[in-house]
Amino acid sequence: MRYYPVFLDLAGQPCLVIGEGEAADAKVRDLVEAGAEVRVIRPADYRDGDLEGARLVIDTSGDPELNLRTWREAEAAGILINVMDVTDKCRFIAPAIVRRDPLLVAISTSGESPFLASALRARLERLLGPEWGPFTALVGGVRRRLREAGVPLERQVRAYRRLLASDILGRLRRGDLDEARREADLVEAEAGADRPGQVALVGAGPGDPGLLTLAAQELLGQADVVMHDALVSPEVLVHAGPQARLVDVGKRGGRERNAEQERITAEMIEHARAGLDVVRLKGGDPFVFGRGGEEVAELVSAGIEVVVVPGVSSAIAGPAAAGIPLTLRDLAASVGIVSGHSAGSRADLRAITRLATAVDTLVVLMPLANLDGIARSMLSVLPADRPAAVIYAATTPEQRVVRAPLDLIATAAAAEDLPGPALLVVGEVVEALPKRRLARLLSEVLAG
Ligand code: SAH
């Protein structure tokens, strides 16, 4: 069965409820609330022809004989009827409802599962708190006035997106009506004018879409342009709205890295000046070896409005996903995070060695280009049997972990030659917990 969903305007319309008791009362209440003229007939008093003139009939009698009569009569007269709990005698069914007037959400499983319908309703009620009522009314008011003022649709839509992304919902939730109004007025006032876009530097997490923050999801949904690293997974990018242009800035090979970085920043500035909202999506956390700091500095000096949304860094999530705690009482009280990327020079290796003596647990990002050199430098200050692990493609289905003592880790990793981004962890914590994946992938856990 496929239903055609509608909301009926029953204001002042004659409607009939057949039945008595709680079920009938509930139907009467709903109809009266919708402004209908409701007549109630007790099953014993029903006479043929009683439903004449009604727009809509609900039979809650539960009496199969009466059900058949009311159904046939309604069908003959072309009146919409619902015989309660008798699917084949219903011209309409009533959905489960989340009511946040003027917002109304209706849920139907086409009668397949009332349980699912009410479970979904409970979820949606939590998602759409009571503040959604006044919020919807407020957005409606802005819309009426923008249309009256003849503001072009494109600018209207941008204003609606700003309202949705603003803290107005939060203010309404906290009962701060005046501030909510003021903020909405501001967005409305700016809707007609040219407004520069903003750039959001957003952390995409280490790979598993379950580790994306809610703020990242919201901003992705609002963005006009999403400029993302090659490492960012498609499951993360689905959160981009239909209007968003996706640009993979990680796959443009052939250019020198610094020149490429300048191109990306220049492009962001250009978009923002053209009034577009840009999300610059970076793997992990944007401020951990992601050149996020440099980008913010340049955007700010170009006068662009910038927000930074932290992400779950692979330096934190990678070891966790491999069952390696970064700190552990009595074993590791400090952590250092360092880049192995430019560890070609002696000075860089000395920096890693210095850190290796200073902290209990050492995380090296981008270690693969010179894993052997990095390990040998550490061996000048650490024991040869200090536990180490290389974690590949952490938090993704391709995750692999190679463990070995520090003096053997480079050889062990080279022998495996695994794909994907990788990081190195060195410290007693590597062997502290039982050697197995502690949990399934987060995405599997969430999916049940
Ligand atoms: N800003 C990022 C790091 C960027 S540098 C963050 O906070 O995670 C890129 C390096 O991050 C890679 O060379 C690798 O060392 C590490 N990395 C990123 N994602 C990873 C993953 N899923 N598994 C293991 N290492 C990862």
Side-chain angles (χ1 to χ4, degrees):
M1 182 90 76
R2 283 197 69 161
Y3 290 96
Y4 181 68
V6 289
F7 291 110
L8 296 177
D9 174 6
L10 291 176
Q13 300 299 299
C15 294
L16 180 64
V17 174
I18 300 153
E20 52 196 340
E22 219 172 284
D25 290 348
K27 301 295 179 192
V28 172
R29 222 174 14 248
D30 288 350
L31 286 167
V32 167
E33 207 179 315
E37 294 284 338
V38 190
R39 235 178 98 210
V40 189
I41 302 182
R42 295 200 322 192
D45 300 335
Y46 187 81
R47 300 285 169 270
D48 287 348
D50 269 351
L51 50 69
E52 212 182 288
R55 282 277 182 156
L56 181 138
V57 176
I58 303 177
D59 181 352
T60 70
S61 68
D63 169 356
E65 240 169 80
L66 182 54
N67 289 165
L68 190 62
R69 278 168 62 201
T70 55
W71 165 253
R72 284 195 176 141
E73 249 187 87
E75 281 291 274
I79 298 169
L80 288 177
I81 184 167
N82 174 293
V83 176
M84 210 175 72
D85 296 334
V86 188
T87 320
D88 66 351
K89 293 189 175 54
C90 287
R91 273 292 154 208
F92 70 95
I93 56 175
I97 291 285
V98 178
R99 206 178 261 287
R100 300 284 185 251
D101 286 324
L103 177 69
L104 186 58
V105 183
I107 305 149
S108 161
T109 61
S110 298
E112 290 293 307
S113 172
F115 166 80
L116 273 187
S118 72
L120 274 176
R121 183 199 12 219
R123 274 195 204 184
L124 289 174
E125 270 178 343
R126 252 173 280 134
L127 186 70
L128 307 170
E131 69 274 12
W132 276 83
F135 180 68
T136 307
L138 197 144
V139 175
V142 172
R143 173 168 178 265
R144 255 188 305 281
R145 290 185 293 275
L146 291 184
R147 282 162 62 111
E148 264 164 34
V151 174
L153 186 61
E154 205 184 280
R155 287 198 176 168
Q156 282 184 41
V157 172
R158 173 148 312 138
Y160 307 146
R161 277 203 263 141
R162 277 188 75 194
L163 291 172
L164 193 57
S166 72
D167 192 34
I168 294 176
L169 274 166
R171 294 189 194 285
L172 290 170
R173 195 179 312 124
R174 297 187 290 272
D176 201 349
L177 297 185
D178 289 344
E179 273 305 308
R181 257 252 76 86
R182 242 196 301 283
E183 201 170 336
D185 287 346
L186 201 68
V187 173
E188 183 178 333
E190 286 176 0
D194 277 324
R195 179 191 74 94
Q198 73 162 24
V199 175
L201 243 65
V202 177
D208 185 330
L211 295 175
L212 198 63
T213 63
L214 290 176
Q217 290 178 35
E218 292 254 315
L219 282 164
L220 276 171
Q222 317 286 336
D224 298 300
V225 183
V226 177
M227 299 174 71
H228 62 92
D229 290 348
L231 277 182
V232 174
S233 73
E235 291 91 338
V236 165
L237 294 173
V238 296
H239 292 286
Q243 79 284 347
R245 189 151 69 78
L246 301 183
V247 186
D248 182 346
V249 295
K251 283 220 178 85
R252 300 165 171 174
R255 257 186 260 249
E256 198 258 316
R257 187 76 174 87
N258 284 328
E260 185 51 37
Q261 186 60 44
E262 268 171 40
R263 275 271 313 141
I264 294 171
T265 310
E267 209 170 308
M268 288 194 278
I269 293 170
E270 196 181 309
H271 288 319
R273 287 195 174 142
L276 301 175
D277 288 328
V278 181
V279 163
R280 173 75 176 100
L281 196 57
K282 289 168 164 294
D285 181 278
F287 278 1
V288 177
F289 297 119
R291 296 210 183 201
E294 292 88 324
E295 286 179 18
V296 167
E298 281 177 48
L299 290 163
V300 167
S301 61
I304 307 292
E305 194 187 324
V306 188
V307 292
V308 178
V309 177
V312 179
S313 176
S314 62
I316 307 290
I324 299 169
L326 290 179
T327 67
L328 204 61
R329 214 149 67 103
D330 300 334
L331 206 58
S334 59
V335 190
I337 300 172
V338 65
S339 160
H341 174 62
S342 52
S345 74
R346 283 182 172 282
D348 290 326
L349 287 175
R350 267 203 302 277
I352 291 181
T353 313
R354 251 198 331 271
L355 193 59
T357 54
V359 299
D360 297 320
T361 306
L362 197 61
V363 178
V364 185
L365 298 185
M366 299 171 274
L368 291 187
N370 189 19
L371 188 55
D372 190 50
I374 293 168
R376 268 189 284 126
S377 301
M378 289 187 194
L379 282 169
S380 67
V381 291
L382 297 178
D385 64 352
R386 177 61 54 88
V390 179
I391 306 164
Y392 297 83
T395 79
T396 78
E398 282 76 44
Q399 175 176 319
R400 296 287 180 276
V401 184
V402 174
R403 291 163 197 266
L406 183 57
D407 61 341
L408 298 178
I409 190 68
T411 317
E416 297 281 344
D417 189 26
L418 290 163
L423 56 87
L424 169 70
V425 196
V426 178
E428 298 294 351
V429 288
V430 169
E431 296 295 327
L433 298 186
K435 276 191 268 336
R436 63 185 186 85
R437 199 171 206 153
L438 291 188
R440 290 167 291 159
L441 279 178
L442 186 62
S443 51
E444 292 165 16
V445 175
L446 291 177

